[in-house]
Amino acid sequence: MAGRIPIRTRIGIVGAGPAGLMLSHLLASAGVESVAIDTRSRQQIETTQRAGILERDSVRLLVDSGVSDRVLREGHEHTGISLRFSGIDHRIDFQELIGASTWLYPQTEVFTDLADARARDGGDIRFGVRHTEILGIDDARPRVRFTDADDIAYELRCDYLVGADGSRGLSRNQVPPAHRHQYFREYPFAWFGILAQAPPSANELVYAHSDRGFALISQRTESVQRMYFQCAAQEDVDDWSDDRIWSELQARVAGEDGFVLKQGPIIEKTVLPFRSFVQEPMRCGTMVLAGDAAHTVPPTGAKGLNLALADARVLAEVLERAIRNNDSSVLDDYTTRALERVWKAQHFSYWMTTMLHRHPDSSDFDARRQLGELHSVISSEAGSRYLAEAYTGWPST
Ligand code: DHB
């Protein structure tokens, strides 16, 4: 199309969620220019509820790279979680087991910190773009075409392109089928997520196994709480009144210790999809994938955001090297390093999911077997330690 305004940059980033913004931030610190675009508005991203747990190294990355120390001031350090089953809490103490913690600090806050840091440092981030098209990933001139909110058409020309546009984005399917393998796993259930105006019922996260299915008690602030319960894959939020939600949640956490959730008005209800996905390799020609564009995990264990930040960290280093040495072969290094963590996280998320959720076809045997597994985890130091290591995050490589 005639009249497209050309933009020239080193790295073009499709998707300005946490993966894209963190990458753009780290590249800027290394002196590498980038432009990131996103079809969503900044406000849309900021108001979509996402998970809330940061691994130890995700917190370090935010603080050490100068994004923000707000996580340390406003986030909540958690030194363990509770595995609740047969109506009793069993604490996994991360500090005692491995000297590590996680931080409750919602993804929306991470996004805000990153977007503010990019704005502060003069980063070129364009929200609310339309008609995105990706071209030329198989040659040395990758391009992205888009129009902005005022219908002005642009062509972004770059050395390398990063697809960080999430699981429903364009970029991963630009890789020709002959050059990619997509690994999928569906689950026959989903999570019903709520935000409720109520005081916290626990200081840390409670992952609850029950005959009625899984429940997760998380927190947000002193007056707003986040909770989830396992529901059918096609559950309709309109079938769930506040009363029905509270009685289901209370039933799933009830026990002889008398634990009762503090209730209040429910201000948001959403059904979260549940699946595992990986696309390999994470590179094709001059394009690499990062975050949910390359991999999706089921939400149990909150690995999604942490994987996205870990991808951005490795990718920034590898892209900087590729540009400095004018050598694109180092991008294969990214695929190898990122995928090792991705598959560990896939296993961990799958393991937590299958240990704690009720499969629709499960028998009494399966329910007893899950309890056996939970008892093994809490009574074995090796079992608890594995959970603590995986939950707080594997060290950066
Ligand atoms: C939250 C979400 C998760 O998937 C999880 O495992 C822990 C916490 C949350 O939204 O707070």
Side-chain angles (χ1 to χ4, degrees):
M1 175 176 135
R4 272 186 192 278
I5 301 176
I7 311 169
R8 168 76 205 146
T9 192
R10 285 292 195 175
I11 314 291
I13 305 174
V14 180
L21 289 184
M22 178 54 94
L23 176 65
S24 171
H25 172 73
L26 294 173
L27 287 171
S29 310
V32 178
E33 224 186 46
S34 66
V35 175
I37 61 166
D38 203 294
T39 53
R40 299 164 297 176
S41 68
R42 179 172 164 161
Q43 201 226 353
Q44 238 175 317
I45 305 177
E46 263 168 343
T47 52
T48 307
Q49 286 299 318
R50 305 295 294 265
I53 289 290
L54 291 180
E55 294 176 356
R56 167 173 52 180
D57 278 11
S58 297
V59 173
R60 274 195 196 140
L61 182 63
L62 289 172
V63 176
D64 293 351
S65 70
V67 172
S68 170
D69 60 0
R70 202 159 69 90
V71 55
L72 299 179
R73 287 181 280 114
E74 295 174 28
H76 294 273
E77 182 177 7
H78 285 183
T79 58
I81 57 167
S82 170
L83 286 181
R84 186 172 174 83
F85 55 93
S86 307
I88 301 169
D89 276 317
H90 304 271
R91 185 159 191 267
I92 305 288
D93 189 325
F94 303 151
Q95 274 299 329
E96 192 179 286
L97 288 158
I98 55 164
S101 304
T102 51
W103 292 77
L104 181 82
Y105 189 67
Q107 176 166 333
T108 42
E109 302 300 321
V110 174
F111 169 80
T112 299
D113 289 347
L114 283 163
D116 286 350
R118 289 284 52 219
R120 174 194 74 203
D121 299 340
D124 190 344
I125 312 292
R126 305 180 187 209
F127 293 104
V129 307
R130 290 178 301 141
H131 312 306
T132 314
E133 264 182 280
I134 294 175
L135 303 150
I137 61 165
D138 49 358
D139 63 38
R141 295 190 317 112
R143 281 151 289 147
V144 186
R145 292 182 174 168
F146 63 94
T147 55
D148 70 7
D150 299 322
D151 258 346
I152 300 174
Y154 294 90
E155 184 171 278
L156 177 61
R157 298 170 187 167
C158 47
D159 296 350
Y160 297 107
L161 199 80
V162 178
D165 51 352
S167 55
R168 280 178 293 246
L170 275 181
S171 55
R172 73 182 181 207
N173 288 320
Q174 299 297 309
V175 179
H179 293 275
R180 60 166 151 87
H181 195 103
Q182 297 187 329
Y183 299 89
F184 258 118
R185 187 185 175 92
E186 298 285 343
Y187 297 79
F189 41 75
W191 274 9
F192 198 113
I194 64 160
L195 270 184
Q197 283 170 332
S201 299
N203 295 328
E204 292 174 342
L205 269 59
V206 180
Y207 287 82
H209 173 278
S210 89
D211 293 346
R212 304 179 69 92
F214 172 73
L216 171 60
I217 311 309
S218 183
Q219 300 86 24
R220 284 295 178 265
T221 64
E222 281 310 302
S223 54
V224 175
Q225 310 312 319
R226 182 80 166 141
M227 297 171 214
Y228 304 92
F229 60 93
Q230 178 188 348
C231 64
Q234 307 302 333
E235 199 72 61
D236 184 350
V237 286
D238 295 333
D239 290 341
W240 288 82
S241 66
D242 286 16
D243 284 349
R244 185 174 175 212
I245 290 171
W246 284 121
S247 69
E248 191 59 44
L249 274 167
Q250 297 287 11
R252 292 189 190 193
V253 298
E256 60 194 59
D257 59 0
F259 183 66
V260 176
L261 289 171
K262 296 186 179 137
Q263 299 186 186
I266 296 176
I267 50 178
E268 198 186 287
K269 304 175 188 178
T270 17
V271 172
L272 285 72
F274 231 84
R275 69 193 112 81
S276 304
F277 172 84
V278 181
Q279 176 158 316
E280 291 190 17
M282 285 167 69
R283 172 206 177 178
C284 178
T286 43
M287 183 177 80
V288 282
L289 300 173
D292 275 15
H295 42 73
T296 310
V297 286
T300 330
K303 283 283 170 249
L305 169 62
N306 293 292
L307 280 181
L309 295 176
D311 281 356
R313 191 177 42 70
V314 177
L315 193 49
E317 187 197 307
V318 170
L319 283 171
E320 198 256 329
R321 244 193 304 149
I323 297 235
R324 183 162 27 90
N325 303 337
N326 197 15
D327 174 13
S328 62
S329 70
V330 295
L331 295 185
D332 290 330
D333 223 30
Y334 165 64
T335 276
T336 314
R337 283 167 67 187
L339 281 174
E340 183 180 324
R341 173 181 295 266
V342 165
W343 281 108
K344 277 157 105 174
Q346 287 291 357
H347 167 257
F348 177 68
S349 309
Y350 168 87
W351 175 64
M352 287 281 277
T353 298
T354 48
M355 180 166 65
L356 292 163
H357 289 66
R358 197 191 138 88
H359 193 283
D361 303 327
S362 71
S363 61
D364 290 348
F365 174 86
D366 295 316
R368 288 283 187 283
R369 180 185 48 73
Q370 282 180 321
L371 291 174
E373 189 173 6
L374 286 158
H375 275 293
S376 293
V377 170
I378 59 150
S379 61
S380 148
E381 199 203 291
S384 299
R385 185 184 279 266
Y386 165 68
L387 198 159
E389 284 169 355
Y391 195 94
T392 59
W394 301 279
S396 307
T397 50

